[in-house]
Amino acid sequence: MDPEFFELLAMPLFDQLYNFSHWLTGDRSDAEDLVQETYAKALKNFELFQEGTNLRAWMYRILRNTFLSSRTSLAAQKTDALDDDTEIASNAPTPESALLQLENSQAVIDALATLPVGYREMILLIDIEELSYKDAAQVLNVPIGTVMSRLSRARNLLRQALTAKPPERASNAV
Amino acid sequence: MPCNSNPATLGAYLDNELPPDQMAALRQHVPTCAQCAAEVVELAMMQRSLRPARERFTPTPEFRRKIQQQVAARPRRSLSWSFALVPALAVLVIMLLAGVGWVAYSHRADAFSEAADLHIDALASANPVDVVSTDRHTVKPWYQGRIPFSFNLPELQNTGYTLIGGRLVYYHQQPGAQLLVGLRQHKISVLIFQETPELARAFAGPTSVEHRNSFSIDTWTSQDLRFVIIGDAEPAAITKLAQLLKQANS
């Protein structure tokens, strides 16, 4: 597409992309670097972007790929091994205390920060950025079925993190 | 009866991401299955709690400006730059043209005033001409050996013009001929010099009779000679004399 339209179409995504970037990196400076690099790459390759396709998914994908090749991400990934295939254990009834935790926004958000980045990004893309499964599949470059199973696993891990840890715990883990 | 619904399917049901037939089936099933209903409610609660995370991190205004500048439509920017330059360039061009024009004009004005000086000098002199003759066949040979070129004089009989005579003059260190021609009570000088780039520059401009300080002036070149006619006669008279000289020297 004509680079002349890049600013018009890409700048409205700025806040979302920044939020996503900060969630991924856990740091303002790293988040800014990531967003800046994302915009630079997107602008450079904007002619390759096909009109009629989803610019939002395209930008998120550039951001995520840039993040994956970054230092911050490489450090995080060492401890992450995504398990898309293992069937998630059948959900046992959640205790009452955990249910209360689920309603505690601060606790949920803090717990999100403790998730491995591969699962955190699933929650971020679907529950926070509200991408469709199809767009998320495009961002992650995986089949929609993988989005579904990985998301389910991420949500389960988040719920476990909530029930396993006290709500007051301050989390700064990335 | 234990329900074996897949948690991922229930999540997709909550996200409205299942095919219509599965959505319809679960819409029937979930309200009647305590286990699935609990799962869907918990996921919904968690989703609602996550909502503030959407605006958890906001970019600084400085960073926004930085990116804004980075992505500012480049073609448009260069275009707007060039548009901004247009008036500046136009002003520059006008100034240059005006400068060139002024220089040319001032050269021309200087050249004309020098020609006028020669004419006035001749008129003011007790001996306006060195060779006094109404006969062109006398005047023209007088110049031989005095100037490094020769010219032709037209037959002025029955034209109203009378040849009064000629003298040697210098213009920009170049020797030349000054012929004095009478028309009734008017005196007209015909200056003839070898054309040089300097003279060409000095007299550059429109080739029409100009009226300056009550003098009419015409100038042209013919066969590498620069002719300047200056006198207090009306412009038409100057033009007519110019025509005669042009015919004689073409």
Side-chain angles (χ1 to χ4, degrees):
Chain A
M1 203 188 276
D2 193 330
E4 200 180 323
F5 301 115
F6 181 74
E7 185 185 3
L8 179 73
L9 298 175
M11 276 319 282
L13 302 171
F14 180 67
D15 290 81
Q16 305 165 35
L17 285 167
Y18 178 80
N19 186 53
F20 183 55
S21 176
H22 200 142
W23 268 109
L24 286 180
T25 59
D27 176 84
R28 180 168 291 277
S29 171
D30 287 344
E32 289 186 351
D33 287 349
L34 181 54
V35 169
Q36 189 173 358
E37 205 176 334
T38 300
Y39 271 90
K41 282 183 181 173
L43 179 58
K44 197 176 155 194
N45 295 302
F46 195 53
E47 281 170 9
L48 302 176
F49 173 72
Q50 290 179 341
E51 202 174 338
T53 60
N54 191 328
L55 179 73
R56 189 169 173 233
W58 187 72
M59 292 285 287
Y60 272 92
R61 181 170 180 173
I62 293 172
L63 190 146
R64 180 182 178 266
N65 288 346
T66 306
F67 171 70
L68 288 183
S69 58
S70 71
R71 233 175 7 171
T72 319
S73 160
L74 292 175
Q77 282 176 90
K78 277 181 188 161
T79 54
D80 289 0
L82 297 187
D83 185 358
D84 294 329
D85 303 323
T86 309
E87 194 67 26
I88 299 157
S90 182
N91 40 1
T94 310
E96 196 69 21
S97 61
L99 279 178
L100 287 174
Q101 284 289 77
L102 285 176
E103 290 207 289
N104 181 339
S105 203
Q106 190 58 51
V108 175
I109 290 170
D110 285 350
L112 175 65
T114 69
L115 289 193
V117 68
Y119 294 115
R120 197 182 339 140
E121 70 176 357
M122 291 309 307
I123 305 274
L124 288 169
L125 289 173
I126 305 294
D127 289 329
I128 294 171
E129 304 299 340
E130 296 187 317
L131 266 68
S132 66
Y133 286 13
K134 188 180 158 206
D135 288 350
Q138 194 186 325
V139 172
L140 305 172
N141 198 26
V142 295
I144 288 182
T146 304
V147 169
M148 245 173 90
S149 60
R150 206 182 284 178
L151 174 66
S152 182
R153 193 168 183 82
R155 283 168 170 169
N156 212 35
L157 284 172
L158 182 59
R159 189 158 43 181
Q160 282 173 19
L162 275 169
T163 52
K165 289 161 190 169
E168 293 78 21
R169 188 194 60 85
S171 169
N172 55 6
V174 176
Chain B
M1 194 173 76
C3 178
N4 60 357
S5 288
N6 186 335
T9 308
L10 290 173
Y13 167 70
L14 180 71
D15 296 329
N16 202 17
E17 286 275 0
L18 292 173
D21 56 332
Q22 283 191 54
M23 286 298 293
L26 280 173
R27 236 176 260 127
Q28 297 290 317
H29 169 75
V30 171
T32 61
C33 172
Q35 198 178 317
C36 289
E39 174 71 8
V40 169
V41 166
E42 281 181 34
L43 287 177
M45 284 165 73
M46 203 160 69
Q47 224 169 36
R48 195 173 58 196
S49 294
L50 282 168
R51 220 163 276 159
R54 202 172 296 167
E55 288 98 31
R56 171 82 177 258
F57 303 111
T58 51
T60 61
E62 294 77 34
F63 182 55
R64 182 188 302 278
R65 272 196 296 278
K66 188 177 172 185
I67 299 298
Q68 192 87 49
Q69 281 170 9
Q70 183 185 323
V71 305
R74 285 174 193 185
R76 237 192 294 160
R77 181 193 280 187
S78 59
L79 212 60
S80 66
W81 261 102
S82 49
F83 276 132
L85 281 175
V86 164
L89 280 173
V91 165
L92 198 67
V93 165
I94 287 166
M95 283 172 71
L96 275 172
L97 286 175
V100 166
W102 185 82
V103 167
Y105 176 83
S106 70
H107 277 170
R108 193 173 161 87
D110 288 346
F112 282 162
S113 70
E114 273 192 67
D117 285 348
L118 288 174
H119 178 61
I120 292 163
D121 185 49
L123 297 183
S125 170
N127 302 301
V129 286
D130 296 323
V131 51
V132 186
S133 175
T134 56
D135 186 357
R136 58 180 175 144
H137 299 296
T138 306
V139 171
K140 188 186 164 184
W142 181 83
Y143 281 104
Q144 280 180 4
R146 289 186 168 89
I147 54 172
F149 57 88
S150 84
F151 54 87
N152 295 323
L153 282 172
E155 176 56 66
L156 296 177
Q157 242 178 359
N158 305 320
T159 59
Y161 299 96
T162 41
L163 185 63
I164 298 167
R167 67 172 187 161
L168 188 69
V169 287
Y170 284 85
Y171 189 83
H172 287 222
Q173 289 83 46
Q174 296 281 327
Q178 180 177 16
L179 307 170
L180 215 56
V181 177
L183 175 69
R184 298 183 302 275
Q185 297 305 310
H186 301 293
K187 301 277 191 298
I188 302 166
S189 278
V190 176
L191 299 161
I192 309 170
F193 299 95
Q194 269 185 314
E195 177 72 319
T196 61
E198 199 187 358
L199 278 184
R201 263 201 309 280
F203 287 104
T207 53
S208 61
V209 177
E210 285 193 41
H211 206 72
R212 285 166 186 268
N213 305 329
S214 80
F215 287 121
S216 295
I217 301 174
D218 196 6
T219 180
W220 73 94
T221 55
S222 175
Q223 297 187 343
D224 294 325
L225 296 181
R226 164 65 61 179
F227 289 79
V228 181
I229 304 185
I230 179 165
D232 58 354
E234 68 273 18
I238 298 291
T239 306
K240 193 181 166 194
L241 179 60
Q243 289 300 329
L244 292 168
L245 282 157
K246 280 175 188 172
Q247 279 167 19
N249 288 282
S250 60

